[in-house]
Amino acid sequence: MKRSLAVTSATIGTLIVLASPAQAARGAEMLSYGDAGPGVRCVQQALNIAGSTLTVDGQWGARTEDAVVSYQSRAGLQQDGVVGPQTGQYLYTVLFFHDRNQAAGCYPYLPTTT
């Protein structure tokens, strides 16, 4: 008998973070609305892996803001719309388990808790 289990990507991300040695850059700057560049591109890529449908353009606008808050809500994180160390760790782990090469490229840009 086949069993199927539907688990949200946020729940998977939570489980993976607890069991994973994946780490992003401890000294990376927090990212938020109005920011632009490779860090924002990494946030957008991770959010898309987690179920969003953002254009990955490296520009943090209203859609990226909404996707961050939504992801934070699903993951049980503080819903402040900022990618600081805790949200950064979760998003980096999403990237790490999706594509380690992609995660390596984002390593310097995402903050983390450790």
Side-chain angles (χ1 to χ4, degrees):
M1 173 162 61
K2 291 185 180 181
R3 294 183 194 179
S4 65
L5 177 62
V7 180
T8 67
S9 60
T11 303
I12 292 170
T14 301
L15 296 173
I16 291 171
V17 167
L18 296 175
S20 166
Q23 296 177 358
R26 186 172 184 186
E29 296 292 323
M30 293 196 305
L31 299 163
S32 61
Y33 188 88
D35 287 342
V40 176
R41 182 176 291 277
C42 291
V43 168
Q44 292 168 332
Q45 290 169 343
L47 290 169
N48 282 347
I49 293 165
S52 294
T53 56
L54 298 169
T55 299
V56 179
D57 61 4
Q59 304 292 318
W60 190 309
R63 290 197 66 224
T64 300
E65 178 85 2
D66 291 345
V68 169
V69 171
S70 177
Y71 179 80
Q72 289 171 326
S73 176
R74 291 190 319 267
L77 299 169
Q78 180 181 350
Q79 298 168 42
D80 58 6
V82 174
V83 176
Q86 198 166 32
T87 301
Q89 180 70 50
Y90 275 61
L91 292 174
Y92 181 78
T93 302
V94 167
L95 288 169
F96 184 83
F97 282 95
H98 177 74
D99 180 342
R100 290 184 183 194
N101 290 327
Q102 184 179 20
C106 289
Y107 180 86
Y109 305 108
L110 293 175
T112 187
T113 56
T114 57

